[in-house]
Amino acid sequence: MKIEVEKCAKTKIGDIDFGSAMPFGKYMSDHMFILKWENGQWGTPKIEPYHALSIEPSSKVFHYGQAIFEGMKAFRDANDKIFLFRPKDNIARFNKSAVRMNMPEVPEDLFYDAVKQLVALDKAWVPRGEGRSYYIRPFMIGCEPALNAVPSAEYLFMIIGGPVDAIFHGDVTVKIADHFSRAANGGTGFAKCSGNYGGQFYPSTLAKKEGFQSVIWTDDATHTHLEEAGQMNFMIRIGDTLHTAPVSDRILDGITRKSILQLAKDMGIKTDISPILVDDVVEAGKKGEIKEAFGCGTAAVISPISALGYKEHYMKLPKLQSEETFAERIRQRIFDIQYNRTADPYGWRDEVL
Ligand SMILES: Cc1ncc(COP(=O)(O)O)c(C=O)c1O
């Protein structure tokens, strides 16, 4: 399907100082992609100047939460070439989320062309510098104006994006959840649907009041397994093995997670993908065997954890020299691939022409 393109009359790129901070998700570039589903089919795909939407207050998304999204990035290399990182994995995951939320799937080729054309058109917005990138946010909402609690008959699929800084959370202290859950068996944890995120805010706010910066989610039934780190996948190094939980109904199949697992293997780091028991972590903490722990995801790449709290236990992790950490070594490897500074043996880079 050919994408119709309406260019903006005047770029607003001059309003942004690329030399200053670019907080995550604050700035949007000149254009957006929009595609409507109605009468059981997709309409005409369009790239238009970025603009506000006008939708009815009775739209289903406001009441029943049919909303999904993705997060991916474009990177600028030293020669001003622009690359996406594993975009087809995001597209496939988006459609898995769509199925789970009873929404129509977006044709993969069209989705892929839309991302590439949008980034190519707004290429000037892809910032320069390690850690900086153009963050791409595809999303879909049920927009039929009707309050009956059945799936929407109309949807808007859109892609917006803008420049972002490297995200650095600093060393994060985390509370291991012993009551609240992010996801349940048979639920939507594996999908990127908006409600999964809204539901995290309250427990995270409570954890902040207790002095933690984030929450490690545990399994809903027993709270005995460590699953995700805030809005990221979770990894922990015990001794010299890097452990992470297998993906499931409750755990998102993170693209950073699977990239790290591959690169760790290539670097000779032992990895273990199996359920991580809180009791084992507490035991390892007592013996001083936990060397590092981190969350991983597109936004921050790797976000190191400095301490883990669980009920009466508080495990402060050692402060290793950054070059000794798996986190730093792997992060550099990922950056080297994303910024086109090294070979790309798995074809993860995807040039935007
Ligand atoms: C709940 C959750 N887990 C893990 C991740 C990491 O996934 P990815 O590495 O694909 O960004 C994300 C972010 O997308 C997330 O929202």
Side-chain angles (χ1 to χ4, degrees), residues 2-12 29-33 46-51 117-123 125:
K2 193 168 153 32
I3 300 172
E4 282 181 11
V5 179
E6 182 199 340
K7 290 192 189 168
C8 62
K10 186 174 176 301
T11 177
K12 50 184 199 280
S29 64
D30 286 326
H31 297 94
M32 65 185 202
F33 174 85
K46 290 184 185 158
I47 288 176
E48 300 178 346
Y50 183 91
H51 62 78
Q117 284 192 40
L118 181 66
V119 176
L121 188 59
D122 282 351
K123 211 170 179 170
W125 291 81

Side-chain angles (χ1 to χ4, degrees), residues 169-177 203-204 206-216 229-230 232 234 293-295 303-310 313-317:
H169 297 299
D171 282 349
V172 176
T173 58
V174 294
K175 177 187 167 85
I176 299 174
S204 302
L206 293 183
K208 281 185 187 142
K209 286 190 183 146
E210 289 179 49
F212 296 99
Q213 284 144 295
S214 186
V215 174
I216 301 274
M232 293 177 276
F234 176 67
F294 52 85
S303 179
I305 290 168
S306 60
L308 298 148
Y310 180 65
H313 305 283
Y314 190 80
M315 294 162 272
K316 208 162 164 25
L317 306 192

Side-chain angles (χ1 to χ4, degrees), residues 7-8 17 55 101 139 145 179 194 197 235:
K7 290 192 189 168
C8 62
D17 176 5
I55 59 174
M101 294 304 287
F139 66 101
H179 171 70
S194 304
Y197 299 81
M235 296 203 175

Side-chain angles (χ1 to χ4, degrees), residues 149-166:
V150 299
S152 180
E154 296 171 23
Y155 295 89
L156 272 180
F157 169 63
M158 299 183 58
I159 308 174
I160 56 175
V164 295
D165 275 335

